[in-house]
PDB file of all heavy atoms in Angstrom:
ATOM      1  N   VAL A   1       8.306 -56.949 144.928  1.00 95.00           N
ATOM      2  CA  VAL A   1       8.370 -56.354 143.598  1.00 95.00           C
ATOM      3  C   VAL A   1       9.755 -56.614 143.021  1.00 95.00           C
ATOM      4  O   VAL A   1      10.765 -56.258 143.625  1.00 95.00           O
ATOM      5  CB  VAL A   1       8.090 -54.841 143.646  1.00 95.00           C
ATOM      6  CG1 VAL A   1       8.299 -54.209 142.275  1.00 95.00           C
ATOM      7  CG2 VAL A   1       6.675 -54.572 144.147  1.00 95.00           C
ATOM      8  N   GLU A   2       9.802 -57.256 141.861  1.00 92.00           N
ATOM      9  CA  GLU A   2      11.070 -57.611 141.234  1.00 92.00           C
ATOM     10  C   GLU A   2      11.398 -56.621 140.114  1.00 92.00           C
ATOM     11  O   GLU A   2      10.564 -55.808 139.709  1.00 92.00           O
ATOM     12  CB  GLU A   2      10.997 -59.040 140.656  1.00 92.00           C
ATOM     13  CG  GLU A   2      10.654 -60.113 141.683  1.00 92.00           C
ATOM     14  CD  GLU A   2      11.818 -60.441 142.590  1.00 92.00           C
ATOM     15  OE1 GLU A   2      12.941 -59.941 142.326  1.00 92.00           O
ATOM     16  OE2 GLU A   2      11.623 -61.211 143.555  1.00 92.00           O
ATOM     17  N   ILE A   3      12.588 -56.727 139.595  1.00 87.00           N
ATOM     18  CA  ILE A   3      13.038 -55.820 138.543  1.00 87.00           C
ATOM     19  C   ILE A   3      12.159 -55.919 137.299  1.00 87.00           C
ATOM     20  O   ILE A   3      11.872 -54.922 136.639  1.00 87.00           O
ATOM     21  CB  ILE A   3      14.529 -56.076 138.191  1.00 87.00           C
ATOM     22  CG1 ILE A   3      15.032 -54.997 137.219  1.00 87.00           C
ATOM     23  CG2 ILE A   3      14.733 -57.485 137.644  1.00 87.00           C
ATOM     24  CD1 ILE A   3      16.530 -55.064 137.003  1.00 87.00           C
ATOM     25  N   ASP A   4      11.683 -57.135 136.989  1.00 85.00           N
ATOM     26  CA  ASP A   4      10.820 -57.305 135.817  1.00 85.00           C
ATOM     27  C   ASP A   4       9.495 -56.566 135.982  1.00 85.00           C
ATOM     28  O   ASP A   4       8.925 -56.068 135.001  1.00 85.00           O
ATOM     29  CB  ASP A   4      10.553 -58.791 135.559  1.00 85.00           C
ATOM     30  CG  ASP A   4      11.782 -59.517 135.042  1.00 85.00           C
ATOM     31  OD1 ASP A   4      12.725 -58.832 134.585  1.00 85.00           O
ATOM     32  OD2 ASP A   4      11.807 -60.759 135.105  1.00 85.00           O
ATOM     33  N   ASP A   5       9.001 -56.495 137.234  1.00 87.00           N
ATOM     34  CA  ASP A   5       7.760 -55.762 137.480  1.00 87.00           C
ATOM     35  C   ASP A   5       7.964 -54.273 137.207  1.00 87.00           C
ATOM     36  O   ASP A   5       7.091 -53.607 136.622  1.00 87.00           O
ATOM     37  CB  ASP A   5       7.314 -55.957 138.938  1.00 87.00           C
ATOM     38  CG  ASP A   5       7.086 -57.411 139.283  1.00 87.00           C
ATOM     39  OD1 ASP A   5       6.462 -58.123 138.473  1.00 87.00           O
ATOM     40  OD2 ASP A   5       7.539 -57.833 140.360  1.00 87.00           O
ATOM     41  N   VAL A   6       9.093 -53.750 137.633  1.00 86.00           N
ATOM     42  CA  VAL A   6       9.392 -52.337 137.412  1.00 86.00           C
ATOM     43  C   VAL A   6       9.493 -52.060 135.922  1.00 86.00           C
ATOM     44  O   VAL A   6       8.961 -51.067 135.418  1.00 86.00           O
ATOM     45  CB  VAL A   6      10.696 -51.938 138.132  1.00 86.00           C
ATOM     46  CG1 VAL A   6      11.036 -50.470 137.841  1.00 86.00           C
ATOM     47  CG2 VAL A   6      10.560 -52.161 139.631  1.00 86.00           C
ATOM     48  N   HIS A   7      10.172 -52.958 135.194  1.00 76.00           N
ATOM     49  CA  HIS A   7      10.295 -52.777 133.747  1.00 76.00           C
ATOM     50  C   HIS A   7       8.935 -52.864 133.062  1.00 76.00           C
ATOM     51  O   HIS A   7       8.657 -52.151 132.098  1.00 76.00           O
ATOM     52  CB  HIS A   7      11.228 -53.833 133.170  1.00 76.00           C
ATOM     53  CG  HIS A   7      12.661 -53.629 133.542  1.00 76.00           C
ATOM     54  ND1 HIS A   7      13.633 -54.589 133.365  1.00 76.00           N
ATOM     55  CD2 HIS A   7      13.286 -52.568 134.089  1.00 76.00           C
ATOM     56  CE1 HIS A   7      14.792 -54.118 133.781  1.00 76.00           C
ATOM     57  NE2 HIS A   7      14.600 -52.898 134.226  1.00 76.00           N
ATOM     58  N   GLU A   8       8.093 -53.733 133.580  1.00 75.00           N
ATOM     59  CA  GLU A   8       6.775 -53.938 132.980  1.00 75.00           C
ATOM     60  C   GLU A   8       5.896 -52.700 133.093  1.00 75.00           C
ATOM     61  O   GLU A   8       5.186 -52.331 132.158  1.00 75.00           O
ATOM     62  CB  GLU A   8       6.069 -55.114 133.657  1.00 75.00           C
ATOM     63  CG  GLU A   8       4.683 -55.431 133.113  1.00 75.00           C
ATOM     64  CD  GLU A   8       4.720 -56.062 131.723  1.00 75.00           C
ATOM     65  OE1 GLU A   8       5.785 -56.613 131.346  1.00 75.00           O
ATOM     66  OE2 GLU A   8       3.696 -56.003 131.030  1.00 75.00           O
ATOM     67  N   LEU A   9       5.962 -52.020 134.245  1.00 74.00           N
ATOM     68  CA  LEU A   9       5.066 -50.895 134.487  1.00 74.00           C
ATOM     69  C   LEU A   9       5.714 -49.537 134.264  1.00 74.00           C
ATOM     70  O   LEU A   9       5.032 -48.517 134.286  1.00 74.00           O
ATOM     71  CB  LEU A   9       4.535 -50.951 135.924  1.00 74.00           C
ATOM     72  CG  LEU A   9       3.635 -52.149 136.274  1.00 74.00           C
ATOM     73  CD1 LEU A   9       3.010 -51.944 137.645  1.00 74.00           C
ATOM     74  CD2 LEU A   9       2.552 -52.358 135.241  1.00 74.00           C
ATOM     75  N   SER A  10       7.025 -49.492 134.078  1.00 63.00           N
ATOM     76  CA  SER A  10       7.710 -48.226 133.857  1.00 63.00           C
ATOM     77  C   SER A  10       8.077 -48.101 132.386  1.00 63.00           C
ATOM     78  O   SER A  10       8.505 -49.063 131.759  1.00 63.00           O
ATOM     79  CB  SER A  10       8.981 -48.134 134.706  1.00 63.00           C
ATOM     80  OG  SER A  10       8.677 -48.215 136.071  1.00 63.00           O
ATOM     81  N   ILE A  11       7.904 -46.919 131.848  1.00 50.00           N
ATOM     82  CA  ILE A  11       8.180 -46.692 130.426  1.00 50.00           C
ATOM     83  C   ILE A  11       9.584 -46.119 130.306  1.00 50.00           C
ATOM     84  O   ILE A  11       9.818 -44.926 130.527  1.00 50.00           O
ATOM     85  CB  ILE A  11       7.138 -45.739 129.812  1.00 50.00           C
ATOM     86  CG1 ILE A  11       5.729 -46.301 130.050  1.00 50.00           C
ATOM     87  CG2 ILE A  11       7.394 -45.541 128.325  1.00 50.00           C
ATOM     88  CD1 ILE A  11       4.629 -45.385 129.573  1.00 50.00           C
ATOM     89  N   GLN A  12      10.528 -46.980 129.961  1.00 50.00           N
ATOM     90  CA  GLN A  12      11.922 -46.570 129.971  1.00 50.00           C
ATOM     91  C   GLN A  12      12.201 -45.442 128.980  1.00 50.00           C
ATOM     92  O   GLN A  12      12.934 -44.503 129.302  1.00 50.00           O
ATOM     93  CB  GLN A  12      12.812 -47.774 129.655  1.00 50.00           C
ATOM     94  CG  GLN A  12      12.670 -48.912 130.668  1.00 50.00           C
ATOM     95  CD  GLN A  12      13.548 -50.093 130.319  1.00 50.00           C
ATOM     96  OE1 GLN A  12      14.741 -49.950 130.126  1.00 50.00           O
ATOM     97  NE2 GLN A  12      12.947 -51.270 130.235  1.00 50.00           N
ATOM     98  N   ASP A  13      11.642 -45.533 127.788  1.00 52.00           N
ATOM     99  CA  ASP A  13      11.918 -44.503 126.797  1.00 52.00           C
ATOM    100  C   ASP A  13      11.443 -43.135 127.273  1.00 52.00           C
ATOM    101  O   ASP A  13      12.097 -42.114 127.038  1.00 52.00           O
ATOM    102  CB  ASP A  13      11.237 -44.857 125.467  1.00 52.00           C
ATOM    103  CG  ASP A  13      11.898 -46.037 124.774  1.00 52.00           C
ATOM    104  OD1 ASP A  13      13.075 -46.314 125.099  1.00 52.00           O
ATOM    105  OD2 ASP A  13      11.260 -46.667 123.928  1.00 52.00           O
ATOM    106  N   LYS A  14      10.305 -43.119 127.948  1.00 59.00           N
ATOM    107  CA  LYS A  14       9.783 -41.856 128.443  1.00 59.00           C
ATOM    108  C   LYS A  14      10.723 -41.259 129.483  1.00 59.00           C
ATOM    109  O   LYS A  14      10.995 -40.056 129.467  1.00 59.00           O
ATOM    110  CB  LYS A  14       8.397 -42.055 129.056  1.00 59.00           C
ATOM    111  CG  LYS A  14       7.773 -40.773 129.581  1.00 59.00           C
ATOM    112  CD  LYS A  14       6.458 -41.037 130.266  1.00 59.00           C
ATOM    113  CE  LYS A  14       5.418 -41.573 129.316  1.00 59.00           C
ATOM    114  NZ  LYS A  14       4.108 -41.758 129.969  1.00 59.00           N
ATOM    115  N   GLU A  15      11.226 -42.098 130.399  1.00 55.00           N
ATOM    116  CA  GLU A  15      12.131 -41.599 131.413  1.00 55.00           C
ATOM    117  C   GLU A  15      13.398 -41.041 130.772  1.00 55.00           C
ATOM    118  O   GLU A  15      13.905 -39.995 131.193  1.00 55.00           O
ATOM    119  CB  GLU A  15      12.483 -42.721 132.410  1.00 55.00           C
ATOM    120  CG  GLU A  15      11.305 -43.241 133.217  1.00 55.00           C
ATOM    121  CD  GLU A  15      10.691 -42.181 134.105  1.00 55.00           C
ATOM    122  OE1 GLU A  15      11.355 -41.160 134.372  1.00 55.00           O
ATOM    123  OE2 GLU A  15       9.545 -42.363 134.529  1.00 55.00           O
ATOM    124  N   ARG A  16      13.910 -41.729 129.769  1.00 64.00           N
ATOM    125  CA  ARG A  16      15.105 -41.229 129.092  1.00 64.00           C
ATOM    126  C   ARG A  16      14.820 -39.895 128.415  1.00 64.00           C
ATOM    127  O   ARG A  16      15.667 -38.992 128.413  1.00 64.00           O
ATOM    128  CB  ARG A  16      15.601 -42.264 128.072  1.00 64.00           C
ATOM    129  CG  ARG A  16      16.344 -43.441 128.697  1.00 64.00           C
ATOM    130  CD  ARG A  16      17.118 -44.201 127.635  1.00 64.00           C
ATOM    131  NE  ARG A  16      16.230 -44.858 126.690  1.00 64.00           N
ATOM    132  CZ  ARG A  16      15.836 -46.130 126.803  1.00 64.00           C
ATOM    133  NH1 ARG A  16      16.238 -46.848 127.839  1.00 64.00           N
ATOM    134  NH2 ARG A  16      15.034 -46.665 125.907  1.00 64.00           N
ATOM    135  N   ASP A  17      13.622 -39.758 127.837  1.00 75.00           N
ATOM    136  CA  ASP A  17      13.265 -38.505 127.187  1.00 75.00           C
ATOM    137  C   ASP A  17      13.172 -37.357 128.189  1.00 75.00           C
ATOM    138  O   ASP A  17      13.509 -36.206 127.868  1.00 75.00           O
ATOM    139  CB  ASP A  17      11.933 -38.648 126.446  1.00 75.00           C
ATOM    140  CG  ASP A  17      12.053 -39.461 125.162  1.00 75.00           C
ATOM    141  OD1 ASP A  17      13.201 -39.660 124.719  1.00 75.00           O
ATOM    142  OD2 ASP A  17      11.025 -39.884 124.626  1.00 75.00           O
ATOM    143  N   ILE A  18      12.700 -37.668 129.403  1.00 70.00           N
ATOM    144  CA  ILE A  18      12.634 -36.638 130.433  1.00 70.00           C
ATOM    145  C   ILE A  18      14.035 -36.143 130.766  1.00 70.00           C
ATOM    146  O   ILE A  18      14.278 -34.940 130.861  1.00 70.00           O
ATOM    147  CB  ILE A  18      11.922 -37.174 131.695  1.00 70.00           C
ATOM    148  CG1 ILE A  18      10.428 -37.394 131.413  1.00 70.00           C
ATOM    149  CG2 ILE A  18      12.096 -36.190 132.857  1.00 70.00           C
ATOM    150  CD1 ILE A  18       9.685 -38.067 132.535  1.00 70.00           C
ATOM    151  N   PHE A  19      14.966 -37.082 130.929  1.00 69.00           N
ATOM    152  CA  PHE A  19      16.337 -36.674 131.219  1.00 69.00           C
ATOM    153  C   PHE A  19      16.925 -35.875 130.055  1.00 69.00           C
ATOM    154  O   PHE A  19      17.659 -34.904 130.264  1.00 69.00           O
ATOM    155  CB  PHE A  19      17.203 -37.897 131.515  1.00 69.00           C
ATOM    156  CG  PHE A  19      16.974 -38.486 132.885  1.00 69.00           C
ATOM    157  CD1 PHE A  19      16.548 -39.789 133.038  1.00 69.00           C
ATOM    158  CD2 PHE A  19      17.178 -37.715 134.018  1.00 69.00           C
ATOM    159  CE1 PHE A  19      16.332 -40.326 134.297  1.00 69.00           C
ATOM    160  CE2 PHE A  19      16.965 -38.240 135.287  1.00 69.00           C
ATOM    161  CZ  PHE A  19      16.544 -39.547 135.426  1.00 69.00           C
ATOM    162  N   LYS A  20      16.610 -36.281 128.839  1.00 79.00           N
ATOM    163  CA  LYS A  20      17.109 -35.540 127.672  1.00 79.00           C
ATOM    164  C   LYS A  20      16.523 -34.135 127.630  1.00 79.00           C
ATOM    165  O   LYS A  20      17.205 -33.179 127.255  1.00 79.00           O
ATOM    166  CB  LYS A  20      16.757 -36.300 126.387  1.00 79.00           C
ATOM    167  CG  LYS A  20      17.545 -37.583 126.185  1.00 79.00           C
ATOM    168  CD  LYS A  20      17.099 -38.298 124.908  1.00 79.00           C
ATOM    169  CE  LYS A  20      17.840 -39.601 124.714  1.00 79.00           C
ATOM    170  NZ  LYS A  20      17.366 -40.327 123.511  1.00 79.00           N
ATOM    171  N   MET A  21      15.248 -34.018 128.009  1.00 80.00           N
ATOM    172  CA  MET A  21      14.633 -32.695 128.025  1.00 80.00           C
ATOM    173  C   MET A  21      15.327 -31.792 129.033  1.00 80.00           C
ATOM    174  O   MET A  21      15.616 -30.620 128.752  1.00 80.00           O
ATOM    175  CB  MET A  21      13.148 -32.806 128.374  1.00 80.00           C
ATOM    176  CG  MET A  21      12.404 -31.474 128.312  1.00 80.00           C
ATOM    177  SD  MET A  21      10.730 -31.548 128.996  1.00 80.00           S
ATOM    178  CE  MET A  21      11.094 -31.647 130.746  1.00 80.00           C
ATOM    179  N   VAL A  22      15.623 -32.341 130.203  1.00 74.00           N
ATOM    180  CA  VAL A  22      16.320 -31.556 131.218  1.00 74.00           C
ATOM    181  C   VAL A  22      17.724 -31.199 130.741  1.00 74.00           C
ATOM    182  O   VAL A  22      18.204 -30.084 130.963  1.00 74.00           O
ATOM    183  CB  VAL A  22      16.367 -32.325 132.549  1.00 74.00           C
ATOM    184  CG1 VAL A  22      17.189 -31.565 133.583  1.00 74.00           C
ATOM    185  CG2 VAL A  22      14.962 -32.563 133.078  1.00 74.00           C
ATOM    186  N   ASP A  23      18.388 -32.136 130.076  1.00 77.00           N
ATOM    187  CA  ASP A  23      19.707 -31.839 129.505  1.00 77.00           C
ATOM    188  C   ASP A  23      19.610 -30.692 128.502  1.00 77.00           C
ATOM    189  O   ASP A  23      20.473 -29.805 128.462  1.00 77.00           O
ATOM    190  CB  ASP A  23      20.278 -33.079 128.800  1.00 77.00           C
ATOM    191  CG  ASP A  23      20.768 -34.124 129.790  1.00 77.00           C
ATOM    192  OD1 ASP A  23      21.028 -33.753 130.949  1.00 77.00           O
ATOM    193  OD2 ASP A  23      20.887 -35.297 129.404  1.00 77.00           O
ATOM    194  N   ALA A  24      18.560 -30.716 127.672  1.00 81.00           N
ATOM    195  CA  ALA A  24      18.396 -29.666 126.671  1.00 81.00           C
ATOM    196  C   ALA A  24      18.132 -28.322 127.331  1.00 81.00           C
ATOM    197  O   ALA A  24      18.628 -27.280 126.883  1.00 81.00           O
ATOM    198  CB  ALA A  24      17.251 -30.028 125.720  1.00 81.00           C
ATOM    199  N   ILE A  25      17.350 -28.319 128.419  1.00 76.00           N
ATOM    200  CA  ILE A  25      17.103 -27.081 129.153  1.00 76.00           C
ATOM    201  C   ILE A  25      18.416 -26.551 129.722  1.00 76.00           C
ATOM    202  O   ILE A  25      18.733 -25.372 129.606  1.00 76.00           O
ATOM    203  CB  ILE A  25      16.084 -27.311 130.287  1.00 76.00           C
ATOM    204  CG1 ILE A  25      14.702 -27.642 129.702  1.00 76.00           C
ATOM    205  CG2 ILE A  25      15.983 -26.077 131.183  1.00 76.00           C
ATOM    206  CD1 ILE A  25      13.703 -28.076 130.751  1.00 76.00           C
ATOM    207  N   ALA A  26      19.191 -27.442 130.313  1.00 71.00           N
ATOM    208  CA  ALA A  26      20.464 -27.039 130.908  1.00 71.00           C
ATOM    209  C   ALA A  26      21.418 -26.489 129.848  1.00 71.00           C
ATOM    210  O   ALA A  26      22.200 -25.576 130.119  1.00 71.00           O
ATOM    211  CB  ALA A  26      21.101 -28.219 131.623  1.00 71.00           C
ATOM    212  N   ALA A  27      21.344 -27.061 128.635  1.00 74.00           N
ATOM    213  CA  ALA A  27      22.195 -26.609 127.534  1.00 74.00           C
ATOM    214  C   ALA A  27      21.608 -25.400 126.809  1.00 74.00           C
ATOM    215  O   ALA A  27      22.192 -24.909 125.847  1.00 74.00           O
ATOM    216  CB  ALA A  27      22.399 -27.753 126.537  1.00 74.00           C
ATOM    217  N   ARG A  28      20.415 -24.952 127.277  1.00 73.00           N
ATOM    218  CA  ARG A  28      19.710 -23.812 126.674  1.00 73.00           C
ATOM    219  C   ARG A  28      19.380 -24.062 125.207  1.00 73.00           C
ATOM    220  O   ARG A  28      19.406 -23.147 124.380  1.00 73.00           O
ATOM    221  CB  ARG A  28      20.512 -22.523 126.876  1.00 73.00           C
ATOM    222  CG  ARG A  28      20.604 -22.139 128.334  1.00 73.00           C
ATOM    223  CD  ARG A  28      21.424 -20.890 128.560  1.00 73.00           C
ATOM    224  NE  ARG A  28      22.818 -21.099 128.216  1.00 73.00           N
ATOM    225  CZ  ARG A  28      23.828 -20.483 128.837  1.00 73.00           C
ATOM    226  NH1 ARG A  28      23.560 -19.672 129.825  1.00 73.00           N
ATOM    227  NH2 ARG A  28      25.057 -20.690 128.471  1.00 73.00           N
ATOM    228  N   ASP A  29      19.091 -25.318 124.893  1.00 82.00           N
ATOM    229  CA  ASP A  29      18.649 -25.691 123.552  1.00 82.00           C
ATOM    230  C   ASP A  29      17.126 -25.647 123.556  1.00 82.00           C
ATOM    231  O   ASP A  29      16.452 -26.663 123.709  1.00 82.00           O
ATOM    232  CB  ASP A  29      19.174 -27.095 123.221  1.00 82.00           C
ATOM    233  CG  ASP A  29      18.793 -27.541 121.822  1.00 82.00           C
ATOM    234  OD1 ASP A  29      18.052 -26.805 121.136  1.00 82.00           O
ATOM    235  OD2 ASP A  29      19.231 -28.629 121.413  1.00 82.00           O
ATOM    236  N   GLY A  30      16.591 -24.443 123.397  1.00 82.00           N
ATOM    237  CA  GLY A  30      15.156 -24.256 123.533  1.00 82.00           C
ATOM    238  C   GLY A  30      14.334 -25.025 122.531  1.00 82.00           C
ATOM    239  O   GLY A  30      13.277 -25.556 122.870  1.00 82.00           O
TER     240      GLY A  30
END
């Protein structure tokens, strides 16, 4: 499995949004 395969099947924007959501929870930005 190469890096291009991971990029092909993984949704980068979604992963970034998950991290942002956790950041918002940590910042208590409900």
Side-chain angles (χ1 to χ4, degrees):
V1 174
E2 302 285 352
I3 187 171
D4 289 343
D5 301 316
V6 177
H7 289 167
E8 180 72 21
L9 295 189
S10 299
I11 304 176
Q12 299 179 53
D13 289 339
K14 181 184 296 183
E15 296 297 342
R16 283 195 293 265
D17 286 345
I18 291 173
F19 284 120
K20 289 178 182 177
M21 184 190 73
V22 175
D23 286 339
I25 293 172
R28 294 178 294 212
D29 182 355

